[in-house]
Amino acid sequence: MDREGRSQPAGGGTGTADPVDTDPAYAGDRADVETLPLARLAQTPPGTIPVSAGGRPSQAGVAPTPAGAPSTPAGAPLTPAGAPSIPAGAPPAPVGRRLVSSHLARQLGLFTCYLAAGIAVTWPRVTYLAGALPSTRDAAAYVWGFWWVARQVTHLGDPWATTFLAAPVGTQLAYHTLMPLPGLLMTPVTFLFGPSASYNLLSIACPGLLCYAMYRPARLWLPTGFGAIAAGAFFGLSSNLAWRSWYQVNLALGALFLPLTLAAAVRLRRTPGRRQAAVLGLVLGAALLTDQESSVLAAVLAGLILIPWLVRPPGPGRPSQPARLRLAAVCAAVAALVASPQIIAMTWQTANGGAWTRPTSCSTTTAGPVLA
């Protein structure tokens, strides 16, 4: 009856002129669930007024169907069975955002596992956070360095020179294991919990950081994620680097920049651009601000990767040689700019004779003065 009533202009009191017997959504006495929405969309002329709550769409200039008026046979659903209902006015979450969130969650989980493994291989170093230190002179020097950098940063002073050592003359610290960049980053921890906490915290976290740093370039070659995870674990949890994390943290933190340099240089070769060149320069500059010995190794590694790429003749999909040389110049400029404070301090100390020892200097032993 609803179908017949809707087919008459005056039937049902709706005033809606629907075509007679042209609704393909009906077969016999039952509504076709799958074709009903498409059939209604095909019958709706341009300019249809949007449906209101409980009403039916109508043509422009024609009164809409009152709320509650039947528009389909009794019991016929308007959407396929089992289809999820979406609240009105709630846009679906973008697919890209969900993918980014999922990827970030996986990376954070992997990083957390690496940190936990690093705590295990350096046990019981995590218990030293209560205030203990290894019984070595190097540990005392690292703690003093964290305190000195934090003090000079807050007083806007020069951290590469001090009168607190070799007083009253003082000494320059450009070639000292000062680690100005880690000291700067750990300044809040130093002031809140003390320089010993900064030193112990970096020693504990260093193996996990090394693992994740090697995992990133391993993903550029290895076809499986498990292989890259294993490569990161073999590097960061190795006995050599775990020992250095315990006793020579400047060398352990310096080793962190070797896989970072590898990843940045390979990305520059694969996708040449100023951004990638600047990233590589930033890594090399940060290495010099952390450990000078490791920065030399990082520069050698970058050269071994980039020199074959720079001298290779141009070909399809590769930039010209002048363009590649310009990218190398951008990398060198960014590295020099980032590491300029350390470079200036080393140059000044070398010019003042503080980078070498005179052959005539003497060292005193239990047997008396001996020429060096």
Side-chain angles (χ1 to χ4, degrees), residues 114-115 117-119 121-122 202-212 232 235-237 241-242 245 252:
Y114 277 146
L115 288 179
I119 293 174
V121 299
T122 57
L202 276 182
S203 297
I204 296 166
C206 196
L209 294 174
L210 288 166
C211 290
Y212 190 78
F235 179 74
L237 304 180
L241 290 178
S245 298

Side-chain angles (χ1 to χ4, degrees), residues 150-169:
R151 180 187 184 278
Q152 293 301 92
V153 167
T154 55
H155 289 77
L156 301 180
D158 179 13
W160 287 277
T162 180
T163 56
F164 284 70
L165 299 177
V169 179

Side-chain angles (χ1 to χ4, degrees), residues 226-244:
F226 179 79
I229 293 173
F234 276 116
F235 179 74
L237 304 180
S238 62
S239 58
N240 183 286
L241 290 178
W243 184 88
R244 295 189 185 278

Side-chain angles (χ1 to χ4, degrees), residues 116-191:
I119 293 174
V121 299
T122 57
W123 187 267
R125 189 59 181 272
V126 68
T127 62
Y128 285 24
L129 289 174
L133 286 173
S135 180
T136 62
R137 289 181 296 177
D138 288 343
Y142 292 133
V143 170
W144 184 89
F146 282 111
W147 168 79
W148 177 249
V149 171
R151 180 187 184 278
Q152 293 301 92
V153 167
T154 55
H155 289 77
L156 301 180
D158 179 13
W160 287 277
T162 180
T163 56
F164 284 70
L165 299 177
V169 179
T171 185
Q172 294 175 315
L173 303 174
Y175 293 97
H176 182 65
T177 56
L178 187 63
M179 298 185 295
L181 179 59
L184 174 64
L185 297 178
M186 298 300 292
T187 295
V189 178
T190 300
F191 274 101

Side-chain angles (χ1 to χ4, degrees), residues 52-56 64-70:
S52 59
R56 293 181 52 222
T65 302

Side-chain angles (χ1 to χ4, degrees), residues 172 174 343-354:
Q172 294 175 315
I343 295 174
I344 294 172
M346 295 172 68
T347 303
W348 180 261
Q349 184 169 344
T350 303
N352 292 336

